[in-house]
Amino acid sequence: MDRTLTVALHGATGRMGGNQHLIRSLLAIIQQGGVPLASGDTLQVEPILVAREEEKLRQLALEVAPQQIGRAVEFSTDLEAVIADNRVDIVFDAASTQVRPRVIRAAVEHGKAIYCEKPVAVELAEAIQLAELCETAGVKNGVVQDKLWLPGICQLRKLRDEGFFGEILGVRGDFGYWVFSGHDPQRPAQRPSWNYRAEDGGGMIIDMFCHWQYLLNDLLGPIAAVLTHAKVDVPQRIDEAGNAYQCTADDAAYAIFEMESGVTCQFNSSWSTRVRRDDLLTIQMDGTQGSAVAGLRDCWVQDLASTPTPVWNPDVPQPINFCEAWRKLPAPPVEENAFKTQWELFLKHVAGEGDFPWSIRAGAAGVALAQAGLLSAQERRWVSPSELLT
Ligand SMILES: NC(=O)C1=CN([C@@H]2O[C@H](COP(=O)(O)OP(=O)(O)OC[C@H]3O[C@@H](n4cnc5c(N)ncnc54)[C@H](OP(=O)(O)O)[C@@H]3O)[C@@H](O)[C@H]2O)C=CC1
Ligand SMILES: O=C1CO[C@H](CO)[C@@H](O)[C@@H]1O
């Protein structure tokens, strides 16, 4: 038997709302015939697209959706009416960050299940309030933590579980790429301008530390303290309308995370760097018995036996090709989109099958790390995220 969950997809016209959540997740689920449940039933999903711009919505609902699933889907510019609609089971928000608390509150008022993009809010106090609100109302809730299902990260987790590393000693994360400022009309900025304005909820720390929190927590347990140096490397950029604006949000952040386990993790996150590594995000984990480097999709390993023996001598050309000493792991047989995988888990959870630990409360822990990072950068000192949660 089929059961259908109707999802109000707010922010459908945005990059994430349109590409990852509509096209690669919800429409892909419809296209595959739904989500099989353990009960033998199949869970279907029906999106209602919501945003402010009717023309963009019309194009997604009446042109993009039919190309993928052979029929149109519903759309609306009236968020309040859609949230209040009795047919809607889940309210999902992927609009810009500052709008999120308002959407979550409205959804709770109407007793809907809530799922949203990260960060759940810019301010920690607000993120905690939202978690409490959902818990008190007893509504099912969740936050996107997509990196947990990236194929490269899944390989890293598997290596840890198999004991490949021996004793884990340290982790190094390198994230980012060059984001064009927009001054050259031939090379427009490839990210929305609000990301570079603190007053609009932008900034590297609030954007990426949420990801680093759940990733590190999953791989190594809780983060005890963070030390961050943040910068605005590119002070002026050009916005979507072609106007120059001052960048008020950090676009580079250099952080050391000290784990409760004693492991040290060091993460560079930058929109002002050029890539000379295997992927836009690489995470290297070093242990006594071996090391691994995970990119978004691939993972490379080097065990103790294949570790080269370098000798420092700048007077001769480097005799070792270090890249050759790494072995690329075979790709897993089925590679699913990480957002889609998490969507399926949330849909099943709402249908009564399976826990969903990636809650708004879990999202608030990400905001706590971001706030700790910002405070550390401002006051130039180590900050413990748990200090801010008490
Ligand atoms: N998990 C991940 O990997 C990622 C998550 N994100 C998160 O996703 C969210 C969206 O980011 P992204 O897609 O890059 O941003 P975009 O700027 O591309 O999209 C923002 C969306 O928000 C809507 N919006 C903006 N302001 C308002 C407002 N005042 N009221 C209602 N709607 C509004 C826009 O709608 P309209 O068309 O009406 O203007 C648009 O649909 C952010 O919270 C970000 O942190 C972002 C990137 C990656
Ligand atoms: O996870 C992410 C990956 O990178 C994006 C931009 O390229 C970020 O905005 C985002 O939050």
Side-chain angles (χ1 to χ4, degrees), residues 123-125 127-128 205 209-210 212-214 216-217 221-228 255-261 263 265 361-377 381-390:
E123 297 299 330
L124 177 58
I128 293 171
I205 294 179
F209 280 30
C210 301
W212 306 154
Q213 188 276 331
Y214 66 73
L216 290 176
N217 191 62
I223 296 171
V226 58
L227 184 66
T228 308
I256 303 173
F257 303 111
E258 184 191 37
M259 309 304 290
E260 283 183 9
S261 65
V263 173
C265 306
R361 172 78 59 187
V367 179
L369 183 66
Q371 203 132 310
L374 285 163
L375 191 63
S376 166
R381 65 173 178 96
W382 283 93
V383 178
S384 157
S386 57
E387 200 180 286
L388 306 179
L389 284 164
T390 50

Side-chain angles (χ1 to χ4, degrees), residues 101-277:
R102 176 167 67 85
V103 179
I104 296 178
R105 285 178 205 284
V108 171
E109 251 172 57
H110 287 89
K112 307 292 168 143
I114 293 146
Y115 187 36
C116 68
E117 260 298 350
K118 48 52 63 176
V120 294
V122 174
E123 297 299 330
L124 177 58
E126 181 137 57
I128 293 171
Q129 260 180 29
L130 293 171
E132 280 165 2
L133 206 63
C134 291
E135 288 159 8
T136 308
V139 294
K140 295 198 165 158
N141 61 88
V143 67
V144 172
Q145 299 197 338
D146 53 289
K147 309 291 179 269
L148 294 175
W149 291 275
L150 285 173
I153 302 297
C154 292
Q155 306 249 43
L156 205 56
R157 192 185 299 125
K158 186 160 172 279
L159 290 167
R160 179 208 56 189
D161 292 345
E162 291 166 352
F164 168 81
F165 297 102
E167 185 194 344
I168 295 173
L169 303 170
V171 172
R172 198 177 73 232
D174 218 328
F175 166 81
Y177 48 90
W178 186 261
V179 174
F180 287 88
S181 67
H183 285 95
D184 175 357
Q186 303 302 316
R187 308 297 295 269
Q190 65 274 45
R191 303 186 75 240
S193 62
W194 64 264
N195 282 285
Y196 301 93
R197 293 188 295 266
E199 60 277 23
D200 289 340
M204 179 61 88
I205 294 179
I206 188 66
D207 186 10
M208 296 313 293
F209 280 30
C210 301
H211 290 302
W212 306 154
Q213 188 276 331
Y214 66 73
L215 258 182
L216 290 176
N217 191 62
D218 176 68
L219 287 169
L220 297 163
I223 296 171
V226 58
L227 184 66
T228 308
H229 176 63
K231 288 197 64 200
V232 183
D233 277 338
V234 178
Q236 192 199 60
R237 292 177 179 270
I238 306 298
D239 69 14
E240 290 75 7
N243 300 316
Y245 66 96
Q246 285 312 114
C247 300
T248 49
D250 49 295
D251 56 6
Y254 308 91
I256 303 173
F257 303 111
E258 184 191 37
M259 309 304 290
E260 283 183 9
S261 65
V263 173
T264 307
C265 306
Q266 181 238 306
F267 269 65
N268 286 353
S269 314
S270 172
W271 300 127
S272 44
T273 186
R274 293 182 176 83
V275 179
R276 194 178 194 278
R277 50 187 133 86

